[in-house]
Amino acid sequence: MEGVSDTEPLALEAAPTSRRRRKRSLVWEHFTIETVSDGCTKALCKQCNQSFAYSTGKKIAGTSHLKRHITVGSCSKLRQEKRQLALTSGSKTDGNSTDPPKRRYRWRTSLNFDQDRSCMDLAKMIIMQEYPLHMVEHTAFKTFIQGLQPQFKMPNHEAIEKEILGIYNKEKQSLTQLFGTIPGRVCLSIGLWTTSQTLGYVSVTGHFIDNDWKLHSRVLNFSMVSSPHSENALSDVIGLCLSDWNIKSKLFTITLDNNCSSHDIYSANLRDHLSNKNTLTLKGQLFVVRCYAHLLNVAAQDVIASIHGIIYNIRESLKYVKASLVREERFAEIVQQLEIPCTRPLSLDVQSHWDTTYLMLAGALEFRHAFAYLETCDPHYNEAPSPDDWKKVDTVCTYLKLLYDSANVIMGAADPTANMYFHEAWKIHLELANAAVGEDGTVCSVAKEMHEKFDKYWKDCSLVLAIAVVMDPRFKMKFVEFAFSKLYGEDAGRYIKVVDDGIHALFDEYITHRFHWCQFMKTTRGT
């Protein structure tokens, strides 16, 4: 018995090593395996006797290089046989031919297909790319998907709609839980749209920082309202959103993207509603934040509208010059003859984008003498602006450049923060205030209208922007004192005190809020 017990384990261990996996690849119809040395074998082509590495010790090579040898024409014998067959007849090879048939090898396909996962991936694609739901019923799309994965059963638009709603509800639940864990507050931004059918839409986006100091921006609500430009409609949408997400006590600021005339109505209504519950920071002093980019856009559009007739002539002049290669060459000759330095290109604008209109005006302004000369020598051209018109364009470009440079600073930053806006806003506010009281009537009329819009923005946002600058260790309170002294002169002390009091009050609120938050976390964790 002892002898049997000693030898049986040896037999059991040796048995697996003697078993060899059956070679199923079709390449072995054309190759044989020969042993070169101990533990080393090579694959030998039956046609041309060329050898290829196959195994070295326990490492076994694949068969891809063997497939390539017999399919891409590397084997000399197979190439010779193909030539002979091509010379003798154009018919297909018979079954006795050693030439391997084309597309004979089958590649292993994925066996992990999941219908439910694929439907979810399709729904996410539709969400992210904003595709129409009915695309799942488009014949070409269904044919494309069937070619990729025949096992996939395309859902109809009702099924994909349910899938999207399921994703939405899951994400909403996750975001609601996240709102309950963040120690800070949430900022809202409001977007208003009116379609060509006069349908109004309101979007509410939440901006907040999580426990890992990562900034999040999530669309919280997007709904259609009968009249989005009425104060009750907007207040109702915002109030419903705050209640739905349970963030009324976490609201910090709200940024409204609307025209200047109705902004005060919106802000006053909603501020009063929330201040009665003592939910706003500093009793609502920081509640209103107006969109700086929207302010630049409105101010620029108003300036452009003041010379819309001149802009029309300049736009038509550019179209005339660029209408043919001959005209472009003729205009270039005039520019060279007048020795005009070309620092800006001539480009047509996109009328809905004010920055492109500014670039068009600035470029055309440098070639004003060339346009005047072209009118004298080309009887078909009569759109050149007059010298007085060019003077107005020069004035407009001066102030559009202020807006353009400011927009580039803000939009050019990868992550623009609140302290950046103060530097841009106070400089433009000061420049416009000085120009509005100047002696040039044309300059005053343009600057005065722009100054009124910036003054409204400054009154609502200067406190929150100044506090952001104070928090910047590079500037602190000293820079606010410097800027206010330029803006307000002898009255600067009164405005500086408002910022100083706001900083201290904000700190006191933070201490109180932090204490209550720590107590809440201790209770939640059971410590």
Side-chain angles (χ1 to χ4, degrees):
M1 295 299 294
E2 292 180 0
V4 174
S5 62
D6 290 339
T7 57
E8 277 185 345
L10 294 175
L12 292 173
E13 292 178 2
T17 60
S18 63
R19 296 179 60 187
R20 295 182 179 273
R21 188 178 63 180
R22 182 182 176 184
K23 294 180 174 58
R24 298 181 179 179
S25 177
L26 296 177
V27 299
W28 300 117
E29 296 178 8
H30 306 277
F31 288 88
T32 58
I33 297 178
E34 293 187 359
T35 302
V36 179
S37 60
D38 294 340
C40 180
T41 61
K42 288 191 175 183
L44 186 66
C45 178
K46 295 179 181 180
Q47 305 295 327
C48 63
N49 294 326
Q50 186 175 351
S51 60
F52 298 87
Y54 180 65
S55 67
T56 303
K58 296 182 179 180
K59 185 176 180 181
I60 299 178
T63 58
S64 299
H65 61 306
L66 306 182
K67 293 176 184 178
R68 288 193 295 269
H69 177 70
I70 61 176
T71 57
V72 301
S74 299
C75 181
S76 58
K77 291 290 185 180
L78 291 177
R79 285 202 309 269
Q80 185 177 359
E81 290 181 5
K82 288 181 179 180
R83 292 195 191 99
Q84 292 177 353
L85 289 174
L87 292 174
T88 56
S89 68
S91 60
K92 296 182 179 179
T93 58
D94 58 15
N96 298 326
S97 174
T98 57
D99 189 9
K102 295 182 179 180
R103 305 179 64 86
R104 190 173 179 181
Y105 302 104
R106 297 181 179 179
W107 302 101
R108 180 176 297 178
T109 58
S110 175
L111 301 178
N112 297 325
F113 171 72
D114 188 327
Q115 174 72 21
D116 294 336
R117 184 186 63 186
S118 297
C119 285
M120 180 175 292
D121 292 339
L122 176 59
K124 290 181 178 179
M125 181 192 73
I126 292 175
I127 294 171
M128 295 176 65
Q129 303 300 326
E130 300 180 0
Y131 292 138
L133 297 183
H134 283 278
M135 74 173 295
V136 297
E137 298 179 353
H138 294 171
T139 303
F141 181 69
K142 293 168 69 174
T143 302
F144 172 70
I145 296 299
Q146 285 297 309
L148 294 178
Q149 178 52 267
Q151 300 181 52
F152 180 67
K153 296 179 180 179
M154 182 68 70
N156 56 28
H157 76 276
E158 290 90 355
I160 204 67
E161 182 179 358
K162 292 180 181 179
E163 192 74 36
I164 291 174
L165 289 176
I167 295 174
Y168 167 78
N169 290 328
K170 184 177 179 181
E171 290 293 328
K172 183 177 181 180
Q173 183 180 3
S174 176
L175 184 56
T176 301
Q177 294 175 354
L178 181 59
F179 277 140
T181 61
I182 60 173
R185 289 178 173 261
V186 180
C187 298
L188 299 181
S189 60
I190 311 299
L192 302 178
W193 290 273
T194 302
T195 67
S196 58
Q197 298 174 320
T198 68
L199 297 176
Y201 292 87
V202 178
S203 70
V204 182
T205 305
H207 312 270
F208 61 94
I209 297 175
D210 63 14
N211 290 315
D212 296 326
W213 285 94
K214 293 182 179 179
L215 178 63
H216 295 263
S217 295
R218 306 288 184 89
V219 177
L220 305 182
N221 189 18
F222 189 91
S223 57
M224 185 180 72
V225 294
S226 57
S227 180
H229 296 282
S230 64
E231 62 173 288
N232 292 332
L234 185 63
S235 298
D236 291 343
V237 170
I238 297 174
L240 180 63
C241 180
L242 295 175
S243 301
D244 188 28
W245 292 93
N246 194 26
I247 56 174
K248 185 176 294 186
S249 61
K250 290 181 174 290
L251 181 60
F252 183 39
T253 63
I254 181 170
T255 302
L256 298 176
D257 180 13
N258 55 286
N259 58 69
C260 300
S261 61
S262 58
H263 176 79
D264 293 334
I265 300 175
Y266 292 157
S267 60
N269 186 321
L270 199 57
R271 183 195 290 131
D272 293 342
H273 173 72
L274 295 173
S275 295
N276 292 335
K277 301 181 182 299
N278 296 319
T279 58
L280 295 180
T281 302
L282 296 185
K283 298 181 180 180
Q285 294 184 70
L286 306 181
F287 173 59
V288 174
V289 180
R290 295 170 60 197
C291 180
Y292 185 72
H294 183 72
L295 170 68
L296 296 180
N297 181 64
V298 171
Q301 293 292 352
D302 287 347
V303 173
I304 291 172
S306 66
I307 58 167
H308 66 278
I310 302 174
I311 294 177
Y312 173 82
N313 288 342
I314 293 176
R315 192 178 290 122
E316 292 300 315
S317 297
L318 292 180
K319 291 179 182 179
Y320 181 83
V321 171
K322 292 179 175 292
S324 67
L325 182 60
V326 175
R327 292 177 183 177
E328 285 193 50
E329 292 176 349
R330 175 58 180 155
F331 190 79
E333 293 175 359
I334 294 174
V335 171
Q336 186 176 4
Q337 181 179 348
L338 297 178
E339 298 181 351
I340 298 174
C342 302
T343 60
R344 294 177 181 269
L346 283 174
S347 60
L348 282 169
D349 65 332
V350 179
Q351 297 185 34
S352 58
H353 296 171
W354 68 267
D355 55 327
T356 63
T357 303
Y358 160 68
L359 294 176
M360 180 187 72
L361 295 178
L365 187 62
E366 294 187 358
F367 296 93
R368 57 186 180 273
H369 298 301
F371 283 112
Y373 188 88
L374 179 64
E375 191 173 35
T376 62
C377 62
D378 189 339
H380 301 289
Y381 173 66
N382 56 2
E383 299 288 349
S386 66
D388 290 338
D389 291 340
W390 285 117
K391 183 179 179 182
K392 292 179 181 178
V393 172
D394 190 16
T395 301
V396 165
C397 285
T398 300
Y399 292 100
L400 285 179
K401 186 178 186 305
L402 290 175
L403 308 182
Y404 181 80
D405 292 343
S406 182
N408 278 340
V409 171
I410 300 299
M411 303 303 175
D415 297 303
T417 49
N419 58 308
M420 297 176 59
Y421 294 85
F422 182 89
H423 299 283
E424 298 303 314
W426 88 268
K427 288 188 295 186
I428 296 180
H429 190 274
L430 178 63
E431 189 78 21
L432 295 176
N434 293 334
V437 295
E439 297 180 357
D440 191 322
T442 305
V443 173
C444 288
S445 61
V446 174
K448 186 176 181 180
E449 189 172 359
M450 294 177 64
H451 180 259
E452 290 178 356
K453 291 179 170 55
F454 268 86
D455 191 54
K456 290 181 179 180
Y457 174 85
W458 188 256
K459 288 178 180 178
D460 282 338
C461 304
S462 60
L463 178 58
V464 65
L465 298 183
I467 290 176
V469 171
V470 174
M471 297 295 183
D472 190 335
R474 298 171 298 177
F475 301 100
K476 299 184 179 181
M477 196 68 184
K478 289 294 183 182
F479 187 81
V480 175
E481 294 172 354
F482 168 77
F484 280 12
S485 64
K486 297 290 185 181
L487 286 172
Y488 302 114
E490 297 179 354
D491 295 334
R494 179 162 57 94
Y495 296 97
I496 293 172
K497 186 178 185 303
V498 173
V499 177
D500 187 70
D501 292 343
I503 288 288
H504 286 84
L506 191 62
F507 177 76
D508 293 338
E509 275 197 28
Y510 169 78
I511 293 298
T512 304
H513 173 74
R514 192 65 181 173
F515 173 77
H516 290 303
W517 175 257
C518 291
Q519 293 296 112
F520 169 75
M521 294 302 293
K522 288 181 179 180
T523 304
T524 304
R525 296 172 180 172
T527 56

